[in-house]
Amino acid sequence: MAKKTYRQAINEAIAQEMRRDHRVIVMGEDNAGGAGAPGESDAWGGVLGVTKGLQPEFGPDRVLDTPISESAFIGAAAGAAATGLRPVAELMFVDFMGVCFDQIFNQAAKFRYMFGGKAVTPLVVRTMYGAGLRAASQHSQCLYPIFTHIPGLKVVLPSTPYEAKGLMIQAIRDDDPVIFFEHKALYDETGDVPDESYTIPFGEANLTREGGDVTIVAFGRMVGFANQAADELKREGIGVTVIDPRTTSPLDTETILDSVGETGRLVVVDEAHPRCSMAADIARLVAEEAFGALKSPIRTITPPHTPVPFSPALEDLYIPSAVHIRDVARSLVKA
Amino acid sequence: MQHSRQFLLDSYRSMATIRRFEDRVHDEFATGKIPGFVHLYAGEEASAVGVCSHLDDRDVIASTHRGHGHCIAKGCDVVAMMKEIYGRRDGACGGKGGSMHIADLSRGMLGANGIVGGGPPLICGAALTAKYLKTGGVAVAFVGDGGSNQGTTLESYNLAKVWNLPVIFVVEDNGYAESTASAWSVGGSQLGRAKGFGMPGVEVDGFDFFAVHDAAREPIERARNGGGPSLMHVRLTRFYGHFEGDAMTYRAQGEVTKLRAGHDSLQIFRGKVTQAGVLSGEDLDVVEADVAKLIDDAVSRSEAAAMPTEADLLTDVYVRY
Amino acid sequence: MSDVMPLVMPKWGLSMEEGTLTAWLVAEGDDIAKGQEVAEIETTKIANVLESPRPGHVRRLVAKVGDTLPVGALLAVLAPASVPEVDIDAFVAGFVAAAPAQEGEAAAIAEARFEHAGRPIAYKLAGAGQEGDPAVLVHGFGGDSDNWLFNIEALAAGRPVYAIDLPGHGHSTKQLDRGDIDEMASAVLALLDEAGLGRVHLVGHSLGAAVALETLARAPGRVASFAGLAPAGLAETVNADFINAFVAAEKRRDVKAALQHLFADPNLVSPAMIEGVQKYKRLEGAREALAAIAATSLPAGRQARLYRDLVAEARRPMLVIWGRNDAVLDPAAAEGLPDSVEVLRLDDVGHMPHMEAAAAVNEALARHFSKVGG
């Protein structure tokens, strides 16, 4: 099976869906790049190159560059979705949600409900998130809990190239609005990705490690860190189950509860801010539904309640690490 | 007058339906039978009907919080609308949307909108769909003078121009954004803004159906033929407050009375068509009587209709979850 | 120093990069025979037993239980008792993991693909360029060429080994005409043509054995021998509940439950195995293909076609291997075959003898192949 990067996996998923369904279109700032400029067309293919090559293959009618005008084009994507297209719109960094959130959470997310179940809004909003690139406070956040909070949205966080492709194809084929979070520190990660088209269902968690002593639920980039921690603990004789929920909405609560039922211990690793986070949400779930199974307190691992710092010295302290995850998980078992 | 009798009767029926609908909602709201809050379109009928009488099912409109008139002008079912306003289970949106969210995508009605300035970006998307699928359709964003100051609206002007979309922005300037005068809150002018974005713009008397209808013809044809977006600045007023219960203390003494006497779009329509001898007063009275029956029927059926049940609380959030 | 030999972490299958030592089955000071079970190794795919590739005297167990080590890493040192400790120390200190890991066995496995009737057929090849008659491995219903991960390299000692992905499976086309045994046998014959193979040893597992028998029926001149592992085609019965559960399963827990039918020891169903099946079933058209194959090849829970007469009269080496605990195809079907057919029954083995008892199966197959000159 071919090794592909996370970036290539997403690009391939979009291209395959565009070949399959002419209603799929792509739009965003610099998604091709160079619109109206004197140099090359498809100059960038997205600011980090994820949509490179799509405009040469599918043409400017299907791969639309936009002005820097998120309210207008994210709203346009929602309107196009409600009227028959299947747009994949790029909100370059999720930090920019502040300038277009109304179009996502008041419009796209609510059409179906407000219109009594008569609207279908097959919209995908791709967006970059996550710390680690020294991109500072307005280009590094993990705002997926905010989107998870909104009924009507689906929220997807692929952790590997394989997940990225299958979840993207599912997102495009899905009839509900989907916010597709791409961790920018994962773009160059490689993994086995089938050339063929495939879909990964939403709301179905992946068990990336299995062990009987402690359950770690981790999201996005944190899944890899949790796996590292699990592998180290395994050598120490501590069995760790790592759960990658893959989607925060819908959330596979059953897999989490089943696993905690077996291990009796839970660590949740979330790169989002601690308050009202996925960590808090899952801790609430388990406290409410599986309290009797717990052998130790639930532990959450998140960054501190601060903006994402710029200086590498600070940012490295800010992001949860595999070592920290390992130590916390070990402390639950050894307690 | 070059219009057919049927066109004139249909247009008048649509305007009269809006008026009678809104007047009745006003009365029923006062009795406490209607939950929530409603924003009435009475007084502005010529704008919605003047524009929408050019449109067909290929075309899409987006409306505002003051959306009943646009819904009726675009052909939404009046009984279903009334039931929706009453929060009934078989309302246009199953009782889940209410006054500010009535929509009927099958009729190209992309929704009233509770967010001021929410509609223009969406209408750019509807226009993109029409352009991409080559349906020949156009998309119309109705926006108030308040909404005209939102960034979403101004960004949409730019996007529609950059993408050369078949959009008509209809700025219904009823003089007040809530309680704030448009003369105070709008910097520059609506037409100046159109010009700034490189769009043709036209200002029109929104009390006169024929003025609106004539003014809308060219922008709609231009959009249909690939000529890009245009803006219409429609000057009109509302007969009621921003919302029902608004004491309208910000308006001049006697302002509404004067407007009702001299600037009633139905009266102006009646005067023009009877003067031209195309329709008689009796023809229009017959329409009025029909409409009255329709609205009576809508109200009585709404009052009798069932409320949603607990089983409806969790449905219609997703297609599949 | 030439008396000092390493025991290293084996490479089982294409994707194995590391393994965890879960138990030593020998101690320092033991004399061991070639093929003796020396350690239990767990990979993400499956747990297995490491057999010593050579006889020797265990001088030092370098790896500790629980260690996860890359393929080729030093596990133990074999050397006569006369070799001084200092030499053993030096050997351990100076050991550099070599690739390929298992000496004496063929190098890397190649993956390839060709078009048959306009649709892709994928296969793996090990031992390319070797002299002996090639072996062609045909997996069963819902499987793929990865099922042979413990066999393909071992069997490739002395001959090329091809492992096909049948139509509807693995990385081959998911578009089927009918999904019957004929269609799949045509793909096997197409592989023989594509690879220019004159005469081959056919090895089929489960439904793949029926496909191999159909291939034999259609091209008897090209088949040197036949081996069926838990073969279909000998009796009508099949565990329809398993087939239905396997076809229907989408969620992890359902896939796991279905796969546990396959093994005598259900603990062998690893997370990676479950994920592999889920990944396959997510491919566009895979579920439809599986349903079509089940409907045509196993209609109403019965086997569509039987080859008992062909097996009895094949006039070439014929081998049947069956786990006594097979819960999918009843091993009783091997009863009543003529003496010309060798039947090997394995204790504590389920429907996947080539995974659950890889060493025994590899050895039996090597012996079986050697009955034919070349």
Side-chain angles (χ1 to χ4, degrees):
Chain A
M1 209 187 303
K3 293 265 185 209
K4 288 165 197 159
T5 64
Y6 189 84
R7 174 189 286 106
Q8 287 169 322
I10 295 166
N11 180 286
E12 184 172 284
I14 298 170
Q16 286 182 350
E17 285 306 286
M18 291 183 82
R19 285 177 207 127
R20 176 178 178 270
D21 184 346
H22 78 286
R23 295 170 303 168
V24 179
I25 61 165
V26 164
M27 65 172 77
E29 290 152 10
D30 313 298
N31 264 358
E40 292 173 28
S41 58
D42 202 38
W44 281 10
V47 69
L48 291 185
V50 178
T51 45
K52 184 83 176 165
L54 295 179
Q55 197 187 59
E57 179 174 354
F58 299 104
D61 289 346
R62 297 187 68 188
V63 181
L64 293 96
D65 276 335
T66 68
I68 297 179
S69 188
E70 288 87 358
S71 263
F73 79 77
I74 295 291
T83 52
L85 300 186
R86 305 187 83 87
V88 180
E90 181 185 298
L91 174 59
M92 189 184 289
F93 292 89
V94 72
D95 312 70
F96 305 167
M97 65 170 266
V99 294
C100 63
F101 198 39
D102 180 68
Q103 296 294 325
I104 297 172
F105 91 106
N106 267 330
Q107 310 296 340
K110 292 185 171 57
F111 286 160
R112 187 165 184 81
Y113 191 80
M114 292 192 306
F115 303 165
K118 291 172 193 153
V120 177
T121 312
L123 165 69
V124 180
V125 176
R126 295 179 41 239
T127 190
M128 279 192 279
Y129 78 107
L133 266 67
R134 320 315 190 193
S137 296
Q138 296 175 340
H139 288 76
S140 301
Q141 296 170 84
C142 294
L143 301 173
Y144 47 82
I146 298 179
F147 293 83
T148 306
H149 183 73
I150 307 299
L153 298 180
K154 292 176 178 171
V155 182
V156 181
L157 294 151
S159 60
T160 70
Y162 174 80
E163 330 287 330
K165 180 173 173 181
L167 291 169
M168 174 55 84
I169 293 175
Q170 176 61 38
I172 293 172
R173 294 185 190 176
D174 204 281
D175 283 331
D176 293 308
V178 177
I179 314 298
F180 192 89
F181 279 83
E182 301 169 12
H183 200 298
K184 46 195 172 291
L186 293 178
Y187 276 137
D188 292 319
E189 296 278 308
T190 58
D192 288 333
V193 178
D195 295 332
E196 302 97 313
S197 190
Y198 60 93
T199 56
I200 300 176
F202 292 166
E204 204 176 298
N206 190 27
L207 267 63
T208 61
R209 296 290 185 275
E210 265 189 300
D213 297 316
V214 57
T215 300
I216 302 179
V217 178
F219 295 89
R221 186 183 183 212
M222 297 297 110
V223 175
F225 292 179
N227 288 339
Q228 285 175 36
D231 292 343
E232 284 189 42
L233 290 170
K234 186 175 178 185
R235 284 178 209 122
E236 299 175 14
I238 296 174
V240 180
T241 288
V242 177
I243 298 177
D244 171 9
R246 296 200 278 226
T247 57
T248 60
S249 178
L251 180 69
D252 182 353
T253 55
E254 186 181 297
T255 295
I256 295 168
L257 292 170
D258 282 356
S259 177
V260 174
E262 285 168 19
T263 63
R265 299 181 185 90
L266 174 67
V267 178
V268 193
V269 192
D270 186 357
E271 199 190 322
H273 304 303
R275 304 294 310 282
C276 302
S277 59
M278 287 313 301
D281 188 56
I282 287 169
R284 187 277 308 162
L285 168 79
V286 170
E288 219 168 75
E289 310 257 341
F291 189 74
L294 289 173
K295 298 172 188 161
S296 69
I298 297 165
R299 291 292 303 272
T300 63
I301 300 176
T302 68
H305 189 61
T306 71
V308 183
F310 164 65
S311 170
L314 293 175
E315 194 184 31
D316 290 346
L317 291 170
Y318 172 93
I319 303 168
S321 70
V323 170
H324 186 50
I325 298 166
R326 179 200 64 195
D327 292 348
V328 169
R330 185 201 285 129
S331 74
L332 290 188
V333 179
K334 295 270 164 79
Chain B
M1 192 161 284
Q2 75 278 35
H3 301 294
S4 71
R5 266 180 66 84
Q6 193 56 50
F7 173 81
L8 294 171
L9 284 169
D10 290 346
S11 299
Y12 189 77
R13 178 179 298 272
S14 191
M15 288 172 59
T17 305
I18 296 171
R19 175 66 57 83
R20 179 70 69 151
F21 188 95
E22 298 294 60
D23 284 350
R24 188 62 181 269
V25 170
H26 173 80
D27 293 346
E28 298 299 335
F29 190 86
T31 69
K33 285 182 194 154
I34 293 176
F37 44 103
V38 291
H39 309 84
L40 301 182
Y41 193 73
E44 307 188 16
E45 296 85 351
S47 175
V49 180
V51 172
C52 291
S53 52
H54 287 286
L55 305 181
D56 59 41
D57 281 351
R58 295 171 297 173
D59 305 318
V60 176
I61 67 167
S63 176
T64 69
H65 55 288
R66 198 173 306 287
H68 305 165
H70 303 125
C71 290
I72 291 170
K74 197 65 173 64
C76 295
D77 182 273
V78 170
V79 177
M81 284 176 61
M82 190 67 85
K83 286 180 174 173
E84 185 61 30
I85 290 167
Y86 273 79
R88 295 316 206 249
R89 188 171 197 274
D90 56 351
C93 305
K96 287 175 173 168
S99 163
M100 275 188 287
H101 306 298
I102 298 173
D104 185 349
L105 290 161
S106 68
R107 306 309 305 265
M109 171 57 201
L110 193 48
N113 210 307
I115 308 298
V116 173
L122 303 174
I123 222 62
C124 287
L128 179 65
T129 300
K131 183 182 176 183
Y132 178 72
L133 296 179
K134 299 185 169 63
T135 65
V138 301
V140 179
F142 289 97
V143 56
D145 48 287
S148 80
N149 292 330
Q150 285 279 31
T152 47
T153 304
L154 299 166
E155 285 191 31
S156 297
Y157 292 171
N158 187 58
L159 188 68
K161 181 66 190 177
V162 169
W163 280 355
N164 192 40
L165 296 174
V167 176
I168 300 91
F169 297 101
V170 180
V171 179
E172 294 181 326
D173 180 357
N174 65 18
Y176 299 98
E178 303 192 356
S179 73
T180 304
S182 59
W184 180 87
S185 65
V186 176
S189 68
Q190 303 296 350
L191 292 188
R193 292 175 180 190
K195 195 175 172 199
F197 287 99
M199 281 190 288
V202 58
E203 185 170 316
V204 58
D205 172 5
F207 299 111
D208 180 355
F209 167 83
F210 297 102
V212 175
H213 187 76
D214 289 349
R217 181 174 296 111
E218 188 182 315
I220 290 171
E221 276 177 11
R222 181 163 45 240
R224 261 196 225 295
N225 296 323
S230 308
L231 182 145
M232 294 175 65
H233 179 190
V234 184
R235 288 189 178 278
L236 36 63
T237 195
R238 52 173 153 83
F239 287 170
Y240 295 112
H242 167 64
F243 54 88
E244 281 309 278
D246 173 6
M248 292 198 282
T249 51
Y250 50 87
R251 296 184 86 159
Q253 287 280 335
E255 179 184 320
V256 174
T257 318
K258 218 184 301 172
L259 287 165
R260 280 188 185 271
H263 294 84
D264 181 328
S265 57
L266 274 77
Q267 290 305 326
I268 293 169
F269 187 101
R270 183 180 279 263
K272 288 200 171 182
V273 294
T274 50
Q275 232 165 30
V278 196
L279 296 177
S280 67
E282 290 72 38
D283 291 333
L284 299 173
D285 292 344
V286 169
V287 171
E288 294 268 6
D290 267 3
V291 166
K293 241 188 290 176
L294 170 67
I295 301 299
D296 284 347
D297 182 49
V299 169
S300 55
R301 285 168 67 185
S302 296
E303 288 180 353
M307 282 291 186
T309 66
E310 193 175 341
D312 301 312
L313 182 63
L314 303 182
T315 57
D316 301 328
V317 182
Y318 296 91
V319 176
R320 186 163 173 271
Y321 196 58
Chain C
M1 287 289 280
S2 61
D3 288 347
V4 184
M5 298 297 286
L7 262 181
V8 301
M9 179 63 73
K11 182 171 175 67
W12 288 324
L14 195 56
S15 62
M16 178 171 166
E17 290 171 356
E18 58 174 29
T20 303
L21 178 70
T22 52
W24 277 116
L25 304 176
V26 295
E28 288 178 2
D30 285 0
D31 287 312
I32 58 171
K34 182 180 178 200
Q36 184 174 338
E37 297 183 347
V38 292
E40 289 178 3
I41 308 280
E42 192 178 298
T43 74
T44 55
K45 297 274 186 199
I46 196 169
N48 205 349
V49 175
L50 173 65
E51 296 177 357
S52 178
R54 62 180 64 82
H57 181 72
V58 180
R59 283 296 298 276
R60 186 163 311 165
L61 301 182
V62 179
K64 288 187 234 2
V65 170
D67 284 355
T68 298
L69 299 165
V71 167
L74 186 63
L75 297 176
V77 181
L78 304 182
S82 57
V83 176
E85 277 293 308
V86 62
D87 287 3
I88 304 292
D89 291 343
F91 182 87
V92 172
F95 183 81
V96 178
Q102 282 175 299
E103 61 170 79
E105 290 184 1
I109 302 174
E111 290 182 322
R113 217 186 259 219
F114 66 97
E115 295 269 310
H116 168 54
R119 296 170 188 167
I121 299 293
Y123 65 94
K124 292 188 172 72
L125 168 60
Q130 303 236 36
E131 291 293 310
D133 280 341
V136 174
L137 314 181
V138 186
H139 64 79
F141 176 72
D144 63 28
S145 53
D146 279 340
N147 293 161
W148 306 103
L149 81 165
F150 300 126
N151 320 102
I152 185 165
E153 286 169 296
L155 297 177
R159 72 190 68 253
V161 179
Y162 293 80
I164 190 172
D165 284 349
L166 289 171
H169 294 81
H171 294 291
S172 290
T173 180
K174 306 300 177 300
Q175 261 181 296
L176 302 176
D177 290 327
R178 299 168 307 277
D180 59 9
I181 286 170
D182 289 324
E183 185 175 357
M184 289 185 272
S186 296
V188 174
L189 286 166
L191 170 61
L192 302 192
D193 293 341
E194 166 72 18
L197 311 181
R199 196 175 70 145
V200 300
H201 300 286
L202 282 180
V203 180
H205 167 241
S206 194
L207 187 67
V211 173
L213 289 168
E214 177 62 28
T215 308
L216 167 60
R218 279 161 60 175
R222 300 179 75 169
V223 180
S225 74
F226 164 84
L229 315 182
L234 297 182
E236 270 196 4
T237 56
V238 61
N239 182 341
D241 290 344
F242 164 75
I243 301 296
N244 295 336
F246 185 82
V247 170
E250 281 183 58
K251 294 205 164 186
R252 192 174 187 291
R253 101 173 22 181
D254 299 332
V255 172
K256 184 175 184 177
L259 290 179
Q260 285 179 333
H261 283 95
L262 293 174
F263 296 91
D265 176 2
N267 293 325
L268 290 178
V269 176
S270 67
M273 203 183 289
I274 298 165
E275 208 191 347
V277 170
Q278 284 186 298
K279 283 184 171 179
Y280 155 64
K281 294 183 80 172
R282 287 176 193 138
L283 294 173
E284 193 111 300
R287 298 182 58 221
E288 293 77 2
L290 269 187
I293 294 166
T296 55
S297 302
L298 306 161
R302 314 292 289 178
Q303 296 190 36
R305 210 175 290 176
L306 298 183
Y307 296 90
R308 275 189 95 83
D309 293 346
L310 179 74
V311 169
E313 294 155 16
R315 288 188 299 275
R316 68 204 77 203
M318 302 294 281
L319 169 65
V320 169
I321 301 177
W322 225 314
R324 290 188 196 274
N325 298 8
D326 192 326
V328 177
L329 293 178
D330 186 348
E335 282 162 22
L337 291 171
D339 292 345
S340 59
V341 181
E342 182 189 348
V343 178
L344 173 64
R345 296 177 190 280
L346 299 170
D347 291 331
D348 302 320
V349 168
H351 188 60
M352 306 293 283
H354 46 318
M355 297 185 89
E356 212 165 359
V361 167
N362 291 343
E363 191 189 317
L365 286 173
R367 211 167 0 92
H368 169 68
F369 296 156
S370 70
K371 289 179 183 169
V372 180

